Amino acid sequence: MAFEIVKENITIPSGDGSMAAHLVRPQAPGNYPGVVVAFEIFGLTAHIRDVAERIARLGHTVIVPDFYHRAGTGIDFTDDPDGRRKGLELSGRLTREEALEDIRAAVDQLRGAELGAPSVGMVGFSFGGHLAYLAATQFDLAATAVFYAGWLASSDIGLGRPEPTLELTEGIAEHGGRLAFFVGDEDHAVPAADRAAIGARLAEAGVRHEITVYPGIPHGFFCDVRDTYRKEAADDAWIRVQELFAAELPRPA
């Protein structure tokens, strides 16, 4: 069944300040499992809002943190050279400490008395996939869906310092969460060497995980408003995300 949903923009405490966020939830009262959605370098775009709505219609309460709130509210870059440059600049300077403050704020909001989520998961895309992977190493996330996460094996961006995020993988196993990783084999941001390193580290750490590699598929294949969209791969990944959430984030009876 598809749930009727309601959506609103909210402000929640984060660290010593506050953070804007987008909240989408089923209209019918209840304590639904929560999901944090992490955006690409382009910010809180219409595409990311649409993803949040799709997840909410499955019967989840969804929060999309505005990770760029320290630079401004409602930042939404277009996918063009200028937008990519600005997005890379902002995403590159977000520190690990700041990101974890924001994710913790979203998780606490979902688990708080008002929303009462019995369990929480996370989905992230590209830069947001890195955020989701990082979050799974630090928080009690039951399920994490990581789409084509870049920079996991390097310290090239703030999230990857002081050590590459991949080196924190044991934390996912310690929290007992399950992780699904989706990537194309022609992804410039997640080359074959990185895919192999990610798979090896997840296996060595004993993380419950699945890695799905789509042949002939580029970076950004899930975004249906860009020319990198690949419907067959996106549809398959969406089915797998639903199966992951149904198994690990079940709705209370």
Side-chain angles (χ1 to χ4, degrees), residues 169-242:
T169 298
E170 284 73 14
I172 306 174
E174 291 169 5
H175 288 98
R178 179 177 161 198
L179 184 142
F181 197 104
F182 306 98
V183 65
D185 73 351
E186 294 186 4
D187 192 318
H188 68 279
V190 193
D194 282 13
R195 297 197 298 271
I198 293 164
R201 198 61 186 257
L202 287 166
E204 290 167 4
V207 176
R208 294 187 298 134
H209 73 281
E210 303 86 38
I211 297 180
T212 305
V213 181
Y214 296 102
I217 298 300
H219 190 76
F221 69 81
F222 196 80
C223 181
D224 59 3
V225 297
R226 296 203 294 269
D227 59 9
T228 54
Y229 176 60
R230 298 295 185 271
K231 185 179 188 307
E232 185 174 347
D235 288 349
D236 179 80
W238 179 238
I239 290 170
R240 293 174 187 268
V241 169
Q242 292 179 77

Side-chain angles (χ1 to χ4, degrees), residues 5-62:
I5 60 171
V6 293
K7 49 192 175 180
E8 60 181 309
N9 295 319
I10 61 174
T11 302
I12 58 179
S14 180
D16 295 329
S18 61
M19 171 179 67
H22 187 57
L23 172 67
V24 193
R25 56 183 174 82
Q27 188 174 50
N31 299 119
Y32 298 93
V35 175
V36 179
V37 173
F39 55 55
E40 303 165 288
I41 64 169
F42 303 107
L44 221 168
T45 62
H47 165 64
I48 291 298
R49 292 173 188 269
D50 178 68
V51 170
E53 292 175 19
R54 291 172 67 181
I55 296 171
R57 289 191 185 98
L58 299 175
H60 299 288
T61 300
V62 183

